[in-house]
Amino acid sequence: MQTGDLRAILLLVQWDLMRMWRRRIFVLMRITWFAVQVSIFGLALTAMVRFRGIISAQLDYYHFYLLGVYTSMLFSISVSNAYEVAEEFEEGIIEYHLTLPIKRRVLSLGRAVGGGLAAFIFTLPMYAIVLILLGGGPPEAIAVSLAASAVFSVGTVGLVLSVVLSVKSGDATDILFGIIDAVIVRLSTIFYPAVVLSRVAPYYYAALVNPLSHLVDLARTFFFFEEYRVLAIASPVTMAAYLLGLAAGLVSLAIYIVERKLEGGGWR
């Protein structure tokens, strides 16, 4: 990759970060809602749910829930951030980008990385709230969970870019991602450990391949290592490799679609 390509990627990353800055009121509202969710609703849910001996007494459901709800929020915001590409297509911004002296490979890589980093930065205040409510955590747990979250966010944006630029229908994309968001979050270990999900085989096996399960269980393993490692869906190395490989594959798919399939002329 040449110096000019790296400069173009940085400009595209800056584009996505500035777009997030223009939505700062929306960001503030989402952070406020998240604080209410993990304080009021999280405590209410914890009062109703007990692990009842399936996990160490050192870990209660509230701590389990906090990392889960952060992961679900990161996924939803990554999807939402990438979905704005649909609006950019309707407004002619994508066509404008295609006319710039930037390689299509660089354009798709820059938008995937920029969109992923913007979504990741968007959720950092929420991560800080979770960390405060957890009472802090080991430095290696914080470093691993943040790095994994950034990789996961870039991969999710790559997936959404691929779908948006392939479907080329604002209405169809809106419906499709509404369904995907609802289904993927629930078919994971976001709210319940795999040992509980194993009572329903389809639910359990879907959770095993779900990237949200890998992200949240990787973070839980590092934060509650001795208490949680026997319940995680895989070893930390396996979960980290899964997230990294999936992100690389999804970004490569976005690059392929932009290089080989995308044409100007709007949705139709």
Side-chain angles (χ1 to χ4, degrees), residues 20-211:
M20 184 190 70
W21 175 248
R22 289 193 294 271
R23 301 170 62 205
R24 52 189 178 276
I25 300 298
F26 174 73
V27 173
L28 183 61
M29 290 173 61
R30 291 297 295 265
I31 294 170
T32 303
W33 170 245
F34 182 81
V36 172
Q37 183 177 0
V38 296
S39 55
I40 298 175
F41 295 110
L43 290 172
L45 189 61
T46 303
M48 295 184 285
V49 178
R50 294 287 186 273
F51 283 132
R52 295 178 181 174
I54 64 172
I55 199 168
S56 168
Q58 301 299 319
L59 176 63
D60 62 24
Y61 183 76
Y62 187 57
H63 289 162
F64 178 91
Y65 166 85
L66 287 174
L67 289 170
V69 75
Y70 168 75
T71 301
S72 69
M73 186 62 68
L74 176 65
F75 175 69
S76 296
I77 289 173
S78 298
V79 170
S80 173
N81 203 31
Y83 178 71
E84 289 196 7
V85 172
E87 295 181 0
E88 292 183 359
F89 211 118
E90 292 178 339
E91 294 168 356
I93 295 175
I94 294 295
E95 291 177 300
Y96 167 69
H97 282 169
L98 291 173
T99 65
L100 296 175
I102 300 176
K103 298 174 184 173
R104 288 193 170 207
R105 174 184 296 269
V106 173
L107 173 63
S108 50
L109 180 61
R111 293 307 305 269
V113 173
L117 288 179
F120 171 66
I121 293 172
F122 188 122
T123 63
L124 282 181
M126 303 175 194
Y127 184 89
I129 292 172
V130 167
L131 203 57
I132 291 170
L133 294 173
L134 286 174
E140 63 272 20
I142 297 172
V144 169
S145 59
L146 286 176
S149 297
V151 169
F152 170 83
S153 185
V154 170
T156 302
V157 171
L159 169 66
V160 180
L161 288 177
S162 301
V163 174
V164 167
L165 297 177
S166 297
V167 175
K168 292 188 175 182
S169 166
D171 293 338
T173 305
D174 194 17
I175 295 171
L176 179 61
F177 277 104
I179 296 172
I180 289 176
D181 193 359
V183 171
I184 287 186
V185 169
R186 284 155 184 80
L187 294 180
S188 71
T189 57
I190 289 287
F191 297 113
Y192 304 103
V195 66
V196 174
L197 303 181
S198 64
R199 298 169 186 170
V200 183
Y203 203 149
Y204 174 70
Y205 289 112
L208 289 184
V209 297
N210 191 328

